[in-house]
Amino acid sequence: MRIEQIQVQRYGPLQPLTVELQGFNLFWAPNENGKTLFLEALLRLLLGNIRRTFPGIERVSEQPEGYAVVQIKPGQPVKLPEEGTLGDFFDLGVLEFRNLLVIRNSDLHIPGEAVFFQTITERLTGMQARKIQRIKERLKRLGGFTSTMDVVNHRESHYLKRRLQQAEELLIELSQLQAQAQEARLSQRLKRLREYRRRRQALNRELERLEIAGVVQKYQTAAQELSRYRELSEQLKPFEGLDADLA
């Protein structure tokens, strides 16, 4: 925002004047030569009724006749108060404009400084710090937290912090017991695995024995059959050539 031109046609004893502003402008004049009246006229042209917000600006009761050309944005000049006030173009109140536009050497402080800077920051940036802070405080109360985000530990909360600590200790103990149980189950599994391996080796030896026994049995049977064959052959020798005689 930049003020380009000011024209005051009538405001109390102030003489009509038109001022073109460019860059930095310094107004200088001896005391009682109209500097304060000119400032009052400018503020009323820009902001409208400001008597309650600017203590001491009460020398002239009526509004000034004139205008101020203000470039709200580059290439967007407006003529005030014909087209409204600064409050119509910015989401700021008269108090914020006072602290932004005018700080007199009789008033070298910003009234309500902390609130002012917080309010103007929220309006210019769209932040809602105070609302967020109130929500945070409410969440702390609902969640049982102190201002330092520690857990409350009083009678009304049934000693919540102490109970949380006990719960954490129980979780640690439970984790240790779980690890011990897993270790015990692993030991049992290893023991069962060794037993299964021993039984498998025993079964393999038994199979080998049975296979050997089967071969031996077959050999014995064959040997018996061979012996029987030989006996029968000896018994048939006297009858050799009998078939030829019969023929």
Side-chain angles (χ1 to χ4, degrees):
M1 185 194 81
R2 182 163 59 88
I3 302 174
E4 296 182 340
Q5 186 185 65
I6 308 166
Q7 183 184 96
V8 180
Q9 299 172 354
R10 186 175 65 86
Y11 186 64
L14 191 65
Q15 296 295 320
L17 76 161
T18 301
V19 179
E20 301 286 342
L21 300 178
Q22 294 182 355
F24 178 78
N25 300 271
L26 176 64
F27 293 86
W28 178 90
N31 291 336
E32 303 301 328
N33 274 261
K35 298 189 302 297
T36 302
L37 282 176
F38 176 71
L39 176 61
E40 293 175 5
L42 172 61
L43 292 175
R44 289 192 175 188
L45 291 173
L46 294 176
L47 304 176
N49 185 15
I50 57 173
R51 300 182 68 177
R52 293 183 179 179
T53 310
F54 288 80
I57 300 182
E58 299 177 352
R59 300 184 182 184
V60 181
S61 60
E62 71 272 9
Q63 286 291 107
E65 294 182 7
Y67 63 85
V69 178
V70 180
Q71 190 167 182
I72 302 298
K73 296 180 180 178
Q76 185 185 344
V78 296
K79 192 174 183 179
L80 307 178
E82 182 179 326
E83 298 182 45
T85 66
L86 286 181
D88 298 324
F89 297 93
F90 299 95
D91 185 21
L92 297 173
V94 176
L95 177 62
E96 285 77 27
F97 281 116
R98 170 195 171 166
N99 292 330
L100 289 172
L101 297 178
V102 180
I103 301 178
R104 297 171 293 182
N105 46 342
S106 61
D107 183 20
L108 290 178
H109 71 281
I110 298 177
E113 183 173 347
V115 176
F116 163 70
F117 282 116
Q118 187 175 41
T119 301
I120 195 171
T121 300
E122 291 180 2
R123 291 188 179 183
L124 292 176
T125 62
M127 296 174 60
Q128 299 183 13
R130 284 182 294 181
K131 184 177 181 180
I132 293 173
Q133 185 62 32
R134 289 195 298 269
I135 293 174
K136 287 174 61 178
E137 293 300 327
R138 179 168 177 80
L139 289 176
K140 287 179 182 178
R141 291 195 299 271
L142 292 175
F145 294 100
T146 65
S147 57
T148 58
M149 292 305 296
D150 194 9
V151 181
V152 296
N153 192 41
H154 46 56
R155 184 175 181 180
E156 291 76 9
S157 66
H158 302 286
Y159 302 100
L160 179 59
K161 183 177 182 179
R162 185 175 64 187
R163 290 188 289 122
L164 285 175
Q165 291 174 343
Q166 291 174 348
E168 291 175 354
E169 293 172 358
L170 287 174
L171 286 174
I172 294 174
E173 184 178 355
L174 179 61
S175 177
Q176 294 173 348
L177 291 174
Q178 186 177 13
Q180 293 175 3
Q182 290 177 349
E183 184 178 355
R185 285 196 296 270
L186 178 61
S187 177
Q188 292 176 357
R189 289 176 181 177
L190 290 174
K191 183 177 179 180
R192 292 175 62 184
L193 178 61
R194 289 193 295 268
E195 178 65 20
Y196 289 152
R197 286 178 177 175
R198 187 189 63 78
R199 292 176 60 185
R200 186 180 65 179
Q201 291 174 356
L203 289 173
N204 288 334
R205 288 194 297 271
E206 182 67 15
L207 285 174
E208 291 176 358
R209 188 184 64 79
L210 289 174
E211 288 176 357
I212 293 173
V215 171
V216 171
Q217 184 177 8
K218 289 179 181 179
Y219 171 78
Q220 291 176 348
T221 302
Q224 291 176 357
E225 294 294 330
L226 179 60
S227 176
R228 178 63 178 167
Y229 171 76
R230 288 175 179 174
E231 290 178 0
L232 292 175
S233 296
E234 291 295 329
Q235 293 177 5
L236 290 175
K237 279 183 179 182
F239 298 100
E240 292 179 358
L242 179 63
D243 290 340
D245 292 340
L246 291 175

